[in-house]
Amino acid sequence: MALNRCLLLLRPGVSGSCCTTLRPSTFAVQRCLTCLYVNRLESVTTKRQYISPTPLPPLLAAAGSGSSGGNDDPFKVPDTSLFVPLQVKPAQGADVDIGAELTQVLNKSDVLKLLNKFYKRKEIQRLAAENGLDARLFHQAFVSFRKYVMESDSLSVDLHVILSDICCAAGHVDDLFPFFMRHAKQIFPMLDCMDDLRKISDLRLPPNWYPEARAIQRKIVFHAGPTNSGKTYHAIQRYLAAKSGVYCGPLKLLAHEIYQKSNDAGVPCDLVTGEELMFVDPEGRPANHAACTIEMCSVTTPYEVAVIDEIQMIKDPARGWAWTRALLGLCAEEIHICGEAAAINFVTELMFTTGEEVEVRNYKRLTPFTVLDYALESLDNLCPGDCIVCFNKNDIYSVSRQIEARGLECAVIYGSLPPGTKLAQAKKFNDPDDPCKILVATDAIGMGLNLSIKRIIFNSLVKPSTNEKGERETATITTSQALQISGRAGRFCSVFKEGEVTTMHRDDLMSLKKILSDPVEPIKTGGLHPTSEQIEMFAYHLPEATLSNLIDIFVSLSQVDGLYFVCNVDDFKFVADMIQHIPLNLRARYVFCTAPINKKQPFVCTALLKFARQFSRNEPMTFDWLCRHINWPLVPPKNIKDLVHLEAVHDVLDLYLWLSYRFMDMFPHANVVREIQKELDDIIQTGVCNITKLIRVSETSEGLRVMTEDEDLLAHMTNDRTVNLENLSTAMKALSPRRMRGTKVLGYRSVESDRHSNTKGPLATKLMEKGLLTKELLNQLQREWLKSQIKDESTAGKSDHNDPKEKRKKK
Ligand SMILES: Nc1ncnc2c1ncn2[C@@H]1O[C@H](COP(=O)(O)OP(=O)(O)O)[C@@H](O)[C@H]1O
Ligand SMILES: [Mg+2]
C-alpha cells in the first residue's frame, strides 16, 4: 500500500489537512513540502532511507544542538513489555507436504527436543539479543515458533529440510536461527522497523517543526510578575494596537474575555475555542484579531502580535505541549508572553534554540496582599469580601451549608460549573448591592475571573491531584499554586485595594506562611505531545497494534532533549481503550481520543462511546438523537445529585460541539446544541443560586451519600446495553485503588465512615437485581481488576485488549 498523499490529521490547533500529493518515490520516508509532515512511502528498494527534517540555517542548527545532544545519542532501550505478539496460525490443510516428499516425514518428538536445545543455547540467546530480542521477546518468540513448528501439518520446504538435516545430524541446531528470526519478526513486526520507529519518535528538535516561525525573526517580550500585576493588561494593550494579533489563553473564559474586550474596544476579533468558532464578520471572513484557547492557535497564520498567557503552564503534565507549540510555532513579529517569573530562564533557554532574544519586563502587584497573623478559626468570623478556598467539592458543599446556617448568603464557584454560571456567581459576589458577600470556591478562581475579594481563606492546604503515573494522591499545594490563589486577594479598581490571606485552621497558618515565602521552583522543561501524523506513521508500520499500544510504544521509544518532557497520555489512552472495539479509521479514532473529556465523569464517557459507535455506523448525531440521549428538556436540579448530573450533561454538549468542529457532517446540529447548552447553563445557574437548598434536600431525602464516581461510571456503562466487558474492565482499571475506595459524600459525614460501608459493593447487588450484571461477569470484573492492581498499569492495558478471549464484541 503506498501512501501517496500527505496524511496530516486534524489535531488540536490544526484545522484542515494538507492536500499536497507526494511524488511516488523509492524513498521509504518522504517529507511533504507543504506541511513538512514526514510521510512514509512504500519502499521499492530494499534499503530504507530517511530524509531528515528541513535543515536549519547553520547558526540555528548549532544553537539547536546545544543541550539537545546530536543525533549520535545512543537510542533509548525500548520497553519490550509493550510489544504485543501477533498470533501466527500453524499451517494446516495443505494437500502435499513437499518438504516431507523431498526428505522424510519429521518425527515431532525429535523436533521438539532439538527446538528446546536451540532455545537453551547461549550463542542463540546472544545472537537473538543482537537482533533486538531481549530475554522477554526471545522467550515469547520461541514459544510461538515452537508452537508453530509442532502444530503445523506442513512446514515451508526450507524449514522442513533444515529440521530434517538437523534430525539426522546433517545440520547444526543453530541453522534454525534465520527461520526463528523470520518467525520472530512476524509476531513482532516492530523488530523489522525499529530504526524507522525511532526516527519517527525522535522529538529532539521541536523548533524545526515550525518552518514558518523559523523563517522570520520574532521579538519576544516576557511580562513577568505575580497574579494581578497587570501583565496581561499590558500585553493586551499592544495586541489591540497592532494591525493583527492573536491571544492564546488557558481557559475558554479568558479567551471570551479578550474577545469581548477587543470587540468593545472597536478592534474586531474572532473567538476560537475547541467548541466554538465565532467570526465577527457576518459573512464569516476571519478578522485580523483572534482570541483562542491555546490548543487552537494557528501556527501558520502570520500576525503582528501574539500574546501567550500563563506561560508557566508549559510545565503542565497534560497540557504543557500547547504552550511549547505556541511558543516555538507562533508566526508573529512580536510574541508577548505573560506569566510567572519562574519561567523566565526556561523561556530564554528555549529561545537560544530558535536564535531569538527575550526582553523581560517585570511587574509588581498593583494591590499588595498581606498574610494575616491569625486564622479565621470559625465561620462566625467571616467578613464581607471573604473567599473560602476549598480543594474539593464536598468541602464546598459543607462550608456553604454551614455559612447558610449562620444566615449569610454565599456565591459558589468550582471547576465543573458551566462558564455562564461561574460568571453569574462572580457577578453576584462582586455586586456591591447584592446581599451575597461571601464566596466559597475551589482553586478554579486562580485564573480567568475578575473577583472583588478582600480576603482569601484557605480551608485546607492539601489538594487531591493525579501524579505522573495517573494515580490519585493528595499533596500540599505548591508555592506557585498558593501564590496564584492568594493573588486573588485585593483587586485594582475595586473597593478592596489591599488583600489579606489566611487559613481556616490555626495549625495551617505557619505552613501557609512557609509555602508563600518559599522560592518558586524554576521551570526546567516544557511539554511535548506525539502528533497525529507521527502516530499514523507508527500505525503504518504496526498495523495490527491498538492505538493505545501505539502510543505506549511511541512514548517508550521517543527521545527528547533536556528541555522537554513527553506529556501524560493517560487520558488519551483511556479513551483509546474504551473505544478500541469500535471500528473506526485511525484518523477518526485519534480525534476521538484527543477530545478533552473528564474521564471521571461516567455520563460523559458513555456519551463519547455512543458518539463513536454511531459515528462508526456512519449515522449522524442529529439533535433529536442527542435529546433522547440526554433526556432533553431537563428541569432544574432538586438535589445535589441532579446538579452533578446537569453539569455532566453540559460537558456532553461541549463534547458534541468539540466533535462537530472536527466532523461537521456527523455532528450537524451544532447551532441548536449551542442554544440548548445556554439554556442548560441557565438551569444550572438557577440550581447553584439555591445550592444550599439543594444540599439541605440532599441531606434530608436520599441521605447524604450520592453515588461514588466509580459506581456511577459502572452504572452508566452497564446502562448502555451494548457496552462490552472490555469497556467495563478498562473503566475499572482507570480507577486507582484510592478512588475505588473513596466515596463522594455530602455534608458532614466523614469519608472514612462511608468508605467501609461501601466496599461490599451494594451497586453490584443493585445491578444484579436489575439483571444488568451477572455473577459470572462480576467475578470476571473482580479478577481483572485485581490483576490490574498487581500489574503495571500500562502492561495491564496492553494485555487486555490483545487477549482474544476478552475481545467479546457484545455483552
Ligand atoms: N494600567 C492599568 N489600568 C487599568 N486597569 C489595569 C491596569 N493594569 C491592570 N489593570 C486591571 O487589573 C486587573 C489585573 O490585571 P491583569 O493584567 O489581569 O493582571 P495579571 O495578568 O498580572 O494577573 C485587571 O482587571 C486589569 O484590567
Ligand atoms: Mg494575566
Side-chain angles (χ1 to χ4, degrees), residues 226-234 261 366 450 491-493:
T227 314
N228 265 343
S229 57
K231 306 179 295 289
T232 309
Y233 175 86
H234 283 96
K261 262 194 188 147
L366 300 164
N450 287 318
R491 183 176 163 212
F492 190 68
C493 316

Side-chain angles (χ1 to χ4, degrees), residues 706-718:
V706 291
M707 240 183 210
T708 65
E709 283 167 354
D710 310 333
E711 287 173 347
D712 211 13
L713 172 55
L714 284 179
H716 279 290
M717 296 191 99
T718 38

Side-chain angles (χ1 to χ4, degrees), residues 554-748:
F554 185 97
V555 174
S556 129
L557 284 178
S558 66
Q559 300 208 81
V560 292
D561 78 21
L563 290 174
Y564 303 97
F565 66 92
V566 179
C567 282
N568 186 324
V569 287
D570 286 352
D571 285 1
F572 184 100
K573 278 175 51 196
F574 174 82
V575 178
D577 283 333
M578 192 168 68
I579 63 171
Q580 182 56 40
H581 66 291
I582 299 175
L584 292 169
N585 67 42
L586 187 72
R587 178 179 297 227
R589 191 178 295 283
Y590 185 95
V591 174
F592 270 94
C593 292
T594 50
I597 63 159
N598 179 354
K599 69 180 179 192
K600 284 180 251 155
Q601 283 189 344
F603 189 71
V604 185
C605 293
T606 314
L608 186 133
L609 206 59
K610 287 186 179 172
F611 288 165
R613 193 179 309 113
Q614 184 90 345
F615 185 97
S616 78
R617 296 184 193 129
N618 210 18
E619 288 169 20
M621 262 82 14
T622 60
F623 179 63
D624 287 346
W625 180 91
L626 181 69
C627 287
R628 278 198 301 279
H629 174 63
I630 60 169
N631 275 331
W632 186 262
L634 290 157
V635 291
K638 293 191 194 61
N639 53 37
I640 289 293
K641 201 173 148 199
D642 288 352
L643 177 63
V644 170
H645 178 68
L646 293 182
E647 287 164 19
V649 175
H650 190 274
D651 281 3
V652 169
L653 300 182
D654 254 351
L655 176 64
Y656 184 101
L657 294 171
W658 192 90
L659 288 164
S660 78
Y661 193 41
R662 281 137 190 98
F663 305 112
M664 267 169 213
D665 298 351
M666 296 301 288
F667 296 84
H669 296 138
N671 286 342
V672 55
V673 169
R674 197 162 284 121
E675 274 169 30
I676 65 163
Q677 197 189 32
K678 284 208 180 79
E679 273 181 54
L680 179 58
D681 197 337
D682 291 342
I683 294 174
I684 294 175
Q685 262 178 59
T686 332
V688 174
C689 278
N690 296 316
I691 194 158
T692 45
K693 198 170 124 211
L694 302 185
I695 301 167
R696 240 182 298 134
V697 172
S698 303
E699 283 168 356
T700 49
S701 62
E702 282 195 310
L704 293 173
R705 186 175 166 281
V706 291
M707 240 183 210
T708 65
E709 283 167 354
D710 310 333
E711 287 173 347
D712 211 13
L713 172 55
L714 284 179
H716 279 290
M717 296 191 99
T718 38
N719 267 332
D720 180 4
R721 288 280 181 165
T722 45
V723 163
N724 65 13
L725 182 63
E726 216 175 316
N727 305 131
L728 285 170
S729 155
T730 306
M732 297 284 279
K733 262 183 280 160
L735 310 170
S736 67
R738 177 182 289 277
R739 292 193 55 241
M740 290 304 286
R741 283 197 309 273
T743 310
K744 212 196 287 175
V745 178
L746 288 179
Y748 316 114

Side-chain angles (χ1 to χ4, degrees), residues 73-313:
D73 276 1
F75 282 133
K76 249 165 83 178
V77 179
D79 176 358
T80 55
S81 69
L82 302 171
F83 292 7
V84 183
L86 300 180
Q87 303 293 326
V88 176
K89 286 210 180 96
Q92 268 156 358
D95 293 341
V96 273
D97 186 349
I98 300 172
E101 282 180 10
L102 287 176
T103 56
Q104 55 174 339
V105 176
L106 294 171
N107 176 334
K108 289 278 169 145
S109 91
D110 289 348
V111 171
L112 182 61
K113 273 187 213 138
L114 73 89
L115 284 173
N116 288 338
K117 187 171 161 201
F118 171 83
Y119 176 63
K120 293 219 175 85
R121 283 185 51 78
K122 288 273 169 296
E123 291 78 359
I124 293 297
Q125 289 166 9
R126 191 179 41 75
L127 212 52
E130 280 169 15
N131 281 272
L133 295 170
D134 63 6
R136 176 201 301 272
L137 297 187
F138 178 64
H139 177 78
Q140 285 177 286
F142 174 73
V143 171
S144 169
F145 182 57
R146 186 175 59 191
K147 186 168 187 282
Y148 176 78
V149 171
M150 296 305 293
E151 292 180 12
S152 290
D153 291 348
S154 63
L155 295 167
S156 63
V157 179
D158 49 0
L159 177 56
H160 188 107
V161 171
I162 288 287
L163 285 167
S164 167
D165 283 356
I166 304 169
C167 281
C168 53
H172 192 277
V173 73
D174 291 357
D175 297 344
L176 278 177
F177 188 74
F179 299 92
F180 166 72
M181 268 319 291
R182 190 170 71 190
H183 184 88
K185 285 178 180 177
Q186 251 180 303
I187 67 163
F188 294 120
M190 52 289 275
L191 290 175
D192 226 6
C193 54
M194 215 43 139
D195 284 351
D196 284 346
L197 297 182
R198 284 196 169 105
K199 278 167 189 157
I200 299 164
S201 57
D202 187 343
L203 306 179
R204 282 178 298 179
L205 287 172
N208 291 11
W209 305 348
Y210 307 102
E212 286 91 346
R214 296 296 76 77
I216 56 171
Q217 191 66 22
R218 306 177 309 169
K219 176 180 170 187
I220 315 280
V221 182
F222 193 130
H223 302 262
T227 314
N228 265 343
S229 57
K231 306 179 295 289
T232 309
Y233 175 86
H234 283 96
I236 290 298
Q237 293 309 306
R238 179 65 196 98
Y239 159 96
L240 293 174
K243 280 202 251 5
S244 63
V246 61
Y247 167 85
C248 313
L251 301 173
K252 276 181 257 177
L253 264 178
L254 282 168
H256 266 275
E257 189 185 317
I258 300 301
Y259 161 78
Q260 203 74 50
K261 262 194 188 147
S262 190
N263 286 308
D264 289 351
V267 178
C269 169
D270 297 331
L271 176 72
V272 186
T273 72
E275 296 78 14
E276 205 167 5
L277 178 56
M278 248 151 63
F279 293 113
V280 278
D281 183 287
E283 280 163 29
R285 274 186 301 260
N288 288 338
H289 287 71
C292 335
T293 41
I294 193 153
E295 283 86 352
M296 299 303 295
C297 71
S298 160
V299 287
T300 49
T301 311
Y303 295 105
E304 186 182 334
V305 168
V307 177
I308 303 176
D309 212 353
E310 308 291 356
I311 185 69
Q312 67 280 358
M313 286 196 71

